[in-house]
Amino acid sequence: MTYVVTRSCCADASCVLACPVNCIHPAPGEPGFGRTEMLYVDPRTCVDCGACTTACPVDALKPHTALTEAESPFLELNRAYYDAHPHEDRTPMALVPAQRRAPTAGLRVAVVGAGPAGLFAADELLRYPGVTVTVHDRLPTPYGLARAGVAPDHQDTKRVARLFRAVESQPGFSYRLNTEIGRDLHHEDLVRDHHAVIYAVGAATDRRLGLPGEDLPGSASATDFVAWYNGHPDHSAASYPLDGERAVVIGNGNVALDVARVLTADPDALARTDVSDRALAALRASRVREVVVLGRRGPAEAAFTLPELLALAALDGVDVLVRGWPADVPPDATPKTAVLAELAARTPVPGRRRIVLRFRTRPIRILGDDRVTGLAVETTGAGGSAETTGPMESVETAGAVESVETTGTVETVEASLVLRAIGYRARPVPGLPFDGTTGTVPHERGRVRPGVYVAGWIKRGPQGFIGTNKSCAQETVSALLDDLEAGLLTAPTGGGPASGGHPEAVGLDGWRAIDESERTAGRRQGRPRVKLVDREELLAAARSAPGRQPLPSR
């Protein structure tokens, strides 16, 4: 028997360290670690000890005899990795890197952003004696996209919160949540009160299409839609037109697949997750029966990961179809195209909800007068035109659309909702340089200048997975410690972390009160948690923390 990694994992390397025979790769320090879609178990050298399953914080590992039918492709996926990357030079060893010696006693660091990048940075810092880290976030809750971005039907991925709870429990850690830098505190305050500041603020906005009709009601950002169904307090009151039978998602990354799954999911199944109650009520009333996912490039270049595609292909009660397979793409060109080719050969089941993947399809105009009624698209390349699968899939030739230059077949796809899922984009950070082309803060190994650093998407752009932030944070903290050892950090002149805050700032005790309130409500309903989605509700729960004292204000 061998153990199998069954999805994109957190890549925190706990399983690698636990394995006594070094059969899980890529390991820390090896090419690809932190950048591959997942880790892989070598079935030829696995000794079936199960140590990896005990160590894995997100339950991504299973014995191959326990795989479900939907998970069975991961057995071959793990094996095939070692055909291409044999790692023949490996030897069983302890992969714990030597701890560098740095004069960290009394080191005070502020981290701005309580998502995975910020918390992994805090974790790296707190490995050193005498360090205190204060993590700030403008929301009353931490965990960033791990809370408000991961789809509610991916509860296994959300188990990465176990890692973050362990980080929060370390001596020297504190929160200043519900604290917006630039409003409640300023960059200058953080610099004055700390030896160093790490910005891990992510990429909070979305990219736009720049198409006619993009601002019509019914055209929206997938970023906002995801935040809505995840109960983000900035988006909890939003509404979306779910009264039509078809929705279109532009983009074919993992977020596009998440949105398509949620729109076609059985509401009763979603009701067992932590989906926002408001979103759940709207999805119960939804008339959407088909979601068309449009990608500009071909199947081999699709941005979604293979684990996400396999999970989509295994959906119960939802047809997942590929329409318009390009004739110049061999079905077995890559593992991803092999799965897509199998989907292209499927026959739809009458009456089922469905997700239709289309490639080499370019949106050229969003149609409608006072609301979205459809989308004009151009299909390009061999085999790129649409096929029909029934009344909802019917298309009309629209001809040229105003001044848009076209070279392929132009069609109208009727839809009442169009969501763009073409990537996140960061906002400029006050007081820091910003590259508008890449949407990042210029840096060297995370160092903006001695004393000011970046980590996560504001550093490298919106790419990678939750676990990618770990190696990213390690690099940034290494640069910070280099500057500390070189005497380049300025000693704080303020009163320290406790001096930074305001009366409604939420500390660790307040967050734990919110967390317990949501979990308690969840237990009553057989759910992981019932999220509080209004800021005032969240703050009221935080104030209920036993013995809570208001945080000092300036």
Side-chain angles (χ1 to χ4, degrees), residues 336-360:
K336 191 180 294 184
T337 57
V339 177
L340 290 169
E342 186 273 324
L343 295 176
R346 288 186 180 181
T347 301
V349 177
R352 273 191 179 178
R353 297 179 300 278
R354 61 180 173 238
I355 297 170
V356 180
L357 306 180
R358 289 183 57 178
F359 299 96
R360 296 186 184 174

Side-chain angles (χ1 to χ4, degrees), residues 177-190:
L177 305 174
N178 197 43
T179 300
E180 185 171 345
I181 306 304
R183 183 193 67 185
D184 305 309
L185 281 177
H186 297 276
H187 173 71
E188 295 75 16
D189 300 324
L190 298 176

Side-chain angles (χ1 to χ4, degrees), residues 285-545:
S286 170
R287 296 183 61 231
V288 173
R289 302 290 298 172
E290 175 180 281
V291 179
V292 180
V293 180
L294 303 181
R296 291 175 183 248
R297 297 179 294 178
E301 295 79 35
F304 46 69
T305 61
L306 183 55
E308 286 296 317
L309 177 61
L310 288 169
L312 189 78
L315 286 179
D316 246 349
V318 177
D319 281 335
V320 181
L321 311 168
V322 171
R323 289 292 172 258
W325 185 271
D328 59 340
V329 178
D332 58 352
T334 67
K336 191 180 294 184
T337 57
V339 177
L340 290 169
E342 186 273 324
L343 295 176
R346 288 186 180 181
T347 301
V349 177
R352 273 191 179 178
R353 297 179 300 278
R354 61 180 173 238
I355 297 170
V356 180
L357 306 180
R358 289 183 57 178
F359 299 96
R360 296 186 184 174
T361 304
R362 179 171 71 102
I364 54 179
R365 181 181 178 87
I366 298 174
L367 306 173
D369 295 323
D370 54 356
R371 59 170 289 177
V372 169
T373 59
L375 182 69
V377 302
E378 177 190 23
T379 53
T380 60
S385 61
E387 295 178 19
T388 60
T389 63
M392 287 188 293
E393 186 84 332
S394 62
V395 294
E396 300 171 2
T397 300
V401 179
E402 294 194 356
S403 61
V404 177
E405 182 179 348
T406 61
T407 58
T409 302
V410 178
E411 309 159 18
T412 295
V413 180
E414 294 181 0
S416 59
L417 176 65
V418 174
L419 297 171
R420 60 185 181 273
I422 55 172
Y424 293 85
R425 183 171 177 81
R427 297 190 181 106
V429 179
L432 273 62
F434 188 75
D435 184 332
T437 302
T438 63
T440 61
V441 170
H443 65 92
E444 181 184 353
R445 295 175 47 238
R447 179 192 298 106
V448 181
R449 56 181 177 268
V452 180
Y453 307 85
V454 286
W457 282 359
I458 192 66
K459 170 186 172 183
R460 66 181 192 273
Q463 55 186 323
F465 317 100
I466 289 176
T468 311
N469 292 295
K470 187 174 181 67
S471 55
C472 177
Q474 288 171 337
E475 180 186 61
T476 295
V477 170
S478 178
L480 186 158
L481 295 177
D482 287 344
D483 290 346
L484 174 66
E485 292 174 336
L488 299 177
L489 302 185
T490 302
T493 58
S499 69
H502 61 101
E504 288 295 344
V506 174
L508 178 57
D509 57 347
W511 158 237
R512 285 177 170 166
I514 293 171
D515 186 43
E516 182 55 31
S517 174
E518 292 182 339
R519 287 169 173 270
T520 298
R523 284 192 290 270
R524 295 191 190 108
Q525 299 182 25
R527 301 170 63 184
R529 65 176 65 236
V530 175
K531 284 181 177 174
L532 300 172
V533 299
D534 291 317
R535 189 177 290 264
E536 284 308 312
E537 290 180 340
L538 289 161
L539 294 178
R543 294 185 200 109
S544 71

Side-chain angles (χ1 to χ4, degrees), residues 158-377:
K158 294 194 177 200
R159 292 191 186 109
V160 73
R162 298 175 186 174
L163 291 176
F164 301 151
R165 285 194 288 272
V167 175
E168 295 167 349
S169 300
Q170 296 183 61
F173 181 94
S174 62
Y175 273 135
R176 292 293 183 271
L177 305 174
N178 197 43
T179 300
E180 185 171 345
I181 306 304
R183 183 193 67 185
D184 305 309
L185 281 177
H186 297 276
H187 173 71
E188 295 75 16
D189 300 324
L190 298 176
V191 170
R192 180 175 60 246
D193 287 353
H194 302 85
H195 291 86
V197 183
I198 298 176
Y199 283 90
V201 293
T205 60
D206 65 285
R207 297 181 183 275
R208 290 181 60 83
L209 293 162
L211 294 180
E214 188 169 6
D215 294 319
L216 282 170
S219 168
S221 156
T223 304
D224 292 346
F225 188 76
V226 167
W228 168 71
Y229 64 59
N230 271 316
H232 190 297
D234 290 351
H235 300 273
S236 62
S239 62
Y240 295 90
L242 303 178
D243 54 342
E245 291 195 344
R246 182 188 288 121
V248 173
V249 183
I250 300 171
N252 60 8
N254 285 350
V255 171
L257 299 194
D258 284 348
V259 168
R261 281 198 329 276
V262 170
L263 280 169
T264 56
D266 178 358
D268 288 339
L270 281 180
R272 297 190 290 272
T273 73
D274 62 349
V275 67
S276 156
D277 281 352
R278 293 177 184 173
L280 179 60
L283 291 166
R284 284 193 184 281
S286 170
R287 296 183 61 231
V288 173
R289 302 290 298 172
E290 175 180 281
V291 179
V292 180
V293 180
L294 303 181
R296 291 175 183 248
R297 297 179 294 178
E301 295 79 35
F304 46 69
T305 61
L306 183 55
E308 286 296 317
L309 177 61
L310 288 169
L312 189 78
L315 286 179
D316 246 349
V318 177
D319 281 335
V320 181
L321 311 168
V322 171
R323 289 292 172 258
W325 185 271
D328 59 340
V329 178
D332 58 352
T334 67
K336 191 180 294 184
T337 57
V339 177
L340 290 169
E342 186 273 324
L343 295 176
R346 288 186 180 181
T347 301
V349 177
R352 273 191 179 178
R353 297 179 300 278
R354 61 180 173 238
I355 297 170
V356 180
L357 306 180
R358 289 183 57 178
F359 299 96
R360 296 186 184 174
T361 304
R362 179 171 71 102
I364 54 179
R365 181 181 178 87
I366 298 174
L367 306 173
D369 295 323
D370 54 356
R371 59 170 289 177
V372 169
T373 59
L375 182 69
V377 302

